[in-house]
Every structure is written in structure tokens, then in C-alpha cells.
Amino acid sequence: MEMKSKFSSDIETLKELMYDEAYDAKYCADLARRRCSQAAAGLLMQMSREEACHLCRLQAEYYILTGSKFQPCVANVNIPCNFLDALRELYHGEVRDAEIYLDAAAATADPRLSELYTCLSAEEAGHADEIACLITSCMCSG
């Protein structure tokens, strides 16, 4: 009975993380389509692709555990009108996501999921660093 409970918890965690990655991928892609420098747009599109890759990795683990496919749908994202405000929001989201992945890694009994979550935490922290550099670049140019 306890194994089923842990299994259910892993499934719910995966679903939440998949929604978050789908949201982040859309946020970055939508933000890249705004009026911003070509370099900023390129970085944001690269991050969008990386978030989509995170989603795929989580979907594979979900399929391994359940035998079912899961595709989260994110229709709308709320992005601040001001580009710097949007970047700031994205930065804080990536920092939060890195922490959530570390918490998920500690909470699961599945060593495979723990390893994946730890890896994704590091990648999200890297995204936060890239966004911080982009904010600096935007504020210090011109």
C-alpha cells in the first residue's frame, strides 16, 4: 500500500513539473517574439527549446511509470508588458524551478527520478544565470 502511495506522489509531481515546463517553454518563446535585440531573442528561443526538452524528458519518465502519454496544454501565459519586468519574472521563476526540482529529488524514492530532478535543477539554475546576464546587458546598453 505504501508503494502505491509513493508511486501516486511521483505521478502527481511529474504532472505538475510537466505543466511548469510547458508554461516556461511558451513564456520564453512568446517573450522572444517581442521587440528585443536579436541576441536576446536568440537566447530566449534557445531557452524555450531547452524547456521543451525538459518536458520531453519528464514525459518519458511519466510513460515509463504509467504506460500512458501525458501532454500538458498551456494556452495562455501572462507576460508583463515591460521587457525588463518580464525578464525579472522569468529569472525568479527559474530560481524557483531549480528549488522545486531539488525538493522533488529529495522527496522521491525513485533513484532515476531523483537523478533527473537534480540534473534539471542545475539546468534551471543555469537559465537563471543566463537571464541575469541578459538583464545586465539590457540595462547597461545604450
Side-chain angles (χ1 to χ4, degrees), residues 2-139:
E2 191 173 320
M3 283 300 280
K4 184 174 183 174
S5 173
K6 287 181 183 178
F7 179 77
S8 297
S9 176
D10 283 341
I11 299 305
E12 291 307 310
T13 298
L14 278 167
K15 282 183 176 180
E16 290 174 25
L17 294 171
M18 285 187 281
Y19 272 112
D20 192 50
E21 293 295 347
Y23 182 92
D24 290 350
K26 183 163 177 39
Y27 190 106
C28 289
D30 288 356
L31 186 55
R33 292 182 187 100
R34 294 218 175 149
R35 289 188 182 156
C36 60
S37 71
Q38 189 173 2
L43 175 64
L44 290 166
M45 287 306 295
Q46 177 61 35
M47 286 181 58
S48 177
R49 288 188 294 273
E50 290 171 4
E51 299 292 4
C53 181
H54 294 174
L55 172 59
C56 288
R57 292 167 72 185
L58 295 168
Q59 287 173 310
E61 294 304 321
Y62 183 87
Y63 183 78
I64 289 167
L65 290 175
T66 67
S68 299
K69 295 179 184 178
F70 184 77
Q71 180 62 47
C73 179
V74 178
N76 295 314
V77 294
N78 296 318
I79 301 174
C81 292
N82 180 284
F83 187 69
L84 279 174
D85 290 345
L87 289 177
R88 183 175 181 273
E89 183 176 279
L90 184 58
Y91 169 84
H92 286 292
E94 294 297 305
V95 169
R96 183 198 76 238
D97 290 348
E99 293 170 0
I100 289 170
Y101 275 119
L102 285 181
D103 291 344
T108 185
D110 185 324
R112 183 177 170 87
L113 286 177
S114 182
E115 183 179 343
L116 174 62
Y117 295 158
T118 301
C119 177
L120 293 178
S121 174
E123 291 181 21
E124 297 295 357
H127 287 166
D129 289 342
E130 290 177 315
I131 295 163
C133 289
L134 182 55
I135 290 170
T136 300
S137 175
C138 289
M139 293 185 75

